[in-house]
């Protein structure tokens, strides 16, 4: 489901996905507006690309939305009003299993995409938070970075959950998870609340998943460069060969992924959200058509994995 159905980049991405067989996309919006956007770009809408007009389907989701939000006292009138927002309507269609996933954010903020998902889709069993990962396409491997988009300052318990969610995401995409809990200090060399949080999070994650290869706190170079890892954390099965990098806060994670992406000219795919019952993924408002195609592909893979 693409609720920003008449957004030009989104239309082009949906056409690419249809032509390449990546996913069956549904554009939510007025058909005339979508056709006008396609014509203005010289794009032909393939017959397999579905268009759903909000005014045609909105009413069928009112009762279900009222039921989902009854604890908040939502009225049918309020439900209709909220579903004037196509992201909310698209999220309701996902909640009703009429679509398998949702991608939004080309013109909406992260909050506009995530809030309806938290209210209507909710977190999956065993998860208390929603987090995110980016897949960093390095020259010789794919690395997973989390959380770089959602949680500003996670507690130790939340950081442990982010680590477990990120490891599971890596595993789902064929990446053997070796999880590095990133800090400005490696091992026991540093002191302070920030390092203590990472140290506690590492212990909590180990207790919940004793089979998982996880180590921390580790500095980024100790986690990523074998020679440095062997020197700073001898005997570690993660140091120098980490595939999943869990950052202590959003400031560190977001800054690092963008620095690597831009300075090293690395393709980054994401953010992919974790911890929801169904796939919902957010785009950057600066996303290129290729970025949207990648995110649609991720969402389709997530949706397929939930069905097998």
């Amino acid at each position: 489901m693409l609720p920003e159905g008449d957004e030009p980049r989104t239309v082009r991405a949906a056409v690419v996905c249809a032509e390449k067989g990546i996913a069956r996309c549904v554009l939510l919006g007025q058909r005339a507006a979508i056709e006008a956007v396609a014509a203005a770009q010289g794009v032909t809408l393939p017959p397999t690309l579905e268009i759903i007009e909000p005014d045609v389907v909105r009413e069928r989701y009112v009762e279900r939305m009222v039921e989902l939000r009854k604890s908040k006292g939502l009225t049918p009138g309020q439900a209709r009003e909220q579903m004037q927002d196509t992201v909310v309507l698209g999220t309701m269609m996902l909640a009703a299993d009429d679509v398998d996933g949702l991608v939004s954010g080309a013109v909406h903020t992260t909050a506009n995409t995530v809030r309806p998902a938290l209210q209507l889709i909710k977190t999956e069993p065993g998860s208390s938070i929603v987090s995110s990962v980016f897949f960093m396409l390095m020259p010789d491997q794919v690395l997973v970075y989390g959380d770089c988009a959602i949680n500003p300052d996670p507690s130790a318990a939340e950081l442990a959950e982010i680590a477990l969610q990120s490891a599971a995401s890596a595993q789902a995409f064929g990446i053997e998870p070796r999880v590095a809990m990133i800090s400005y200090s490696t091992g026991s060399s540093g002191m302070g609340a920030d390092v203590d949080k990472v140290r506690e999070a590492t212990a909590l994650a180990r207790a919940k998943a004793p089979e998982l290869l996880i180590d921390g706190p580790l500095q980024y170079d100790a986690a990523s460069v074998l020679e440095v890892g062997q020197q700073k954390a001898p005997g570690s099965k993660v140091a120098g060969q980490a595939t999943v990098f869990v950052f202590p806060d959003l400031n560190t994670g977001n800054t690092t992924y963008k620095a690597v992406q831009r300075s090293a000219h690395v393709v980054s795919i994401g953010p992919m959200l974790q911890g929801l019952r169904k796939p919902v993924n957010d785009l950057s408002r600066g996303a290129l058509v290729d970025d949207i195609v990648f995110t649609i592909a991720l969402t389709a893979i997530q949706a397929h994995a939930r069905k097998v």
Side-chain angles (χ1 to χ4, degrees), residues 190-203:
M191 304 291 291
D194 291 340
V195 183
D196 290 342
K197 180 178 83 168
V198 175
R199 189 174 290 119
E200 181 184 352
T202 305

Side-chain angles (χ1 to χ4, degrees), residues 287-303:
L288 303 175
V289 172
D290 283 351
D291 297 326
I292 300 175
V293 171
F294 288 145
T295 303
I296 292 170
L298 282 182
T299 308
I301 292 169
Q302 282 181 294

Side-chain angles (χ1 to χ4, degrees), residues 30-49:
Q30 299 298 325
R31 177 175 290 275
I34 293 169
E35 290 176 344
V37 167
Q41 299 184 94
V43 171
T44 300
L45 298 175
T48 55
L49 183 55

